[in-house]
Structures are given as structure tokens and as C-alpha cells.
Amino acid sequence: MCSFGVFVPFVDLVPDAMGHGVPQFSAVLLLSVIGIGSTAGRFFLGGPADRMGRSCALMAMFAGMGFALAIWAVSKDFWALAVFAFVYGVVYGGWVAILPAVVMDYFGGRNVSGIIGILYTSVAIGTLIGPIAAGFAFDMSHSYMVPIIAGVCANFIAAGIVAGTSKVREPITDMVEPT
């Protein structure tokens, strides 16, 4: 679900920033800010995800992408867009890092490569359709607001799907009770 909106910033952030008067060099730099945030998210969100529960963390990544896109919706200058780009990059990177572990939690190790292959193929379909639909929406409205809000909604729907399908974590039972 989220993949329809997840790559819209990669395609539309630069022209949107330039439309708000951000110089081309600075607008393109925003993509690097997403990349820096993504790298940070991939490295630093796996451990907390293991502690809080990976399904809960995945839900948080979807909600985080939705909230970050909402920041984009109200950002008009370089620094506000840079904050969006970094926050979005962090939660996007966390999504990429956590997703295979969630697949293992849901389905176990048997056939995990095939399941992840199917999952990433579905992401590719959303990636193909999402930016094209965003461009069409921009052509019709001359604004990026509709694609951004659609991305916000898609991510919150994805968070809801995870919430509705998450396995309940079993309590740790092998701990020694104090006497």
C-alpha cells in the first residue's frame, strides 16, 4: 500500500522545491539529504525495532513516512524541505531495514527468499504506478498537494494494515523470578 507514495519524493521533491524558488543545486541536494537519512535509518533503527517488536516498528515507519510527507506538504523553503528530506529518509531507511525481518516473523525461514521477492515485486508495482499517478495529478492540478496527501493516506492505511495483521508478542517466560 505504501509503495504508491513512497517514491513520490524521489521524483517530485526537486521540481516542487524549484517551484518554491529553491535554486536547482539546492533542490537536487535534497535528494542527498534523503539518502543520508536513509543510511542513518538503516543502521540505527534495527536494534530498537528488535526491542519494541518489529511489527510495531514497521507500523511506526509507515506512520513516520506519513507524518514526514505531511511536513513536506507545508514546507516551502530549503531548510524546511531539508528537515522533511532527512526525517523521511530515516523512516524510509528503517522501513527498508525492518521489512525482511518482519517477513521472517510472519512466515518463518521457509521460502523467505521467494516471499521477499514477491513482496518487493509488489513494491515495484507501486513504485511504477505511484510517481506516474503523482505526475498526472500535478498536470491536472498544477500542485503537488494531491500526490503528497495521497502518500500520507497510503502510509497511514499501510500502518493500519500492519496493526490489524500483527502477531501479538508473547511475553518472555524464561526469565528467573526474584525470590
Side-chain angles (χ1 to χ4, degrees), residues 18-42:
M18 290 174 58
H20 291 299
V22 175
Q24 184 177 10
F25 174 80
S26 297
V28 171
L29 186 63
L30 293 170
L31 291 180
S32 296
V33 175
I34 291 176
I36 291 166
S38 176
T39 301
R42 291 169 199 239

Side-chain angles (χ1 to χ4, degrees), residues 4-179:
F4 289 102
V6 79
F7 289 100
V8 170
F10 293 94
V11 176
D12 293 324
L13 180 58
V14 172
D16 182 49
M18 290 174 58
H20 291 299
V22 175
Q24 184 177 10
F25 174 80
S26 297
V28 171
L29 186 63
L30 293 170
L31 291 180
S32 296
V33 175
I34 291 176
I36 291 166
S38 176
T39 301
R42 291 169 199 239
F43 278 109
F44 297 116
L45 294 180
D50 289 337
R51 286 188 292 282
M52 72 186 291
R54 289 184 286 259
S55 290
C56 183
L58 182 63
M59 187 172 39
M61 295 306 106
F62 288 136
M65 284 190 284
F67 282 120
L69 288 166
I71 293 170
W72 181 18
V74 297
S75 298
K76 306 299 177 215
D77 64 24
F78 173 78
W79 291 107
L81 290 167
V83 168
F84 153 71
F86 184 75
V87 170
Y88 189 80
V90 168
V91 291
Y92 164 77
W95 171 65
V96 169
I98 294 166
L99 198 55
V102 172
V103 170
M104 285 288 292
D105 290 346
Y106 275 61
F107 301 104
R110 186 170 174 87
N111 301 318
V112 74
S113 297
I115 294 168
I116 289 174
I118 292 168
L119 178 67
Y120 285 153
T121 299
S122 70
V123 169
I125 292 167
T127 301
L128 173 67
I129 296 169
I132 292 169
F136 179 76
F138 176 81
D139 289 345
M140 299 308 291
S141 67
H142 303 290
S143 170
Y144 288 103
M145 193 57 65
V146 170
I148 293 170
I149 298 303
V152 170
C153 293
N155 276 285
F156 285 135
I157 290 169
I161 291 169
V162 173
T165 60
S166 293
K167 293 181 177 180
V168 176
R169 279 184 74 165
E170 295 294 322
I172 300 172
T173 57
D174 61 346
M175 295 182 70
V176 176
E177 300 231 346
T179 56

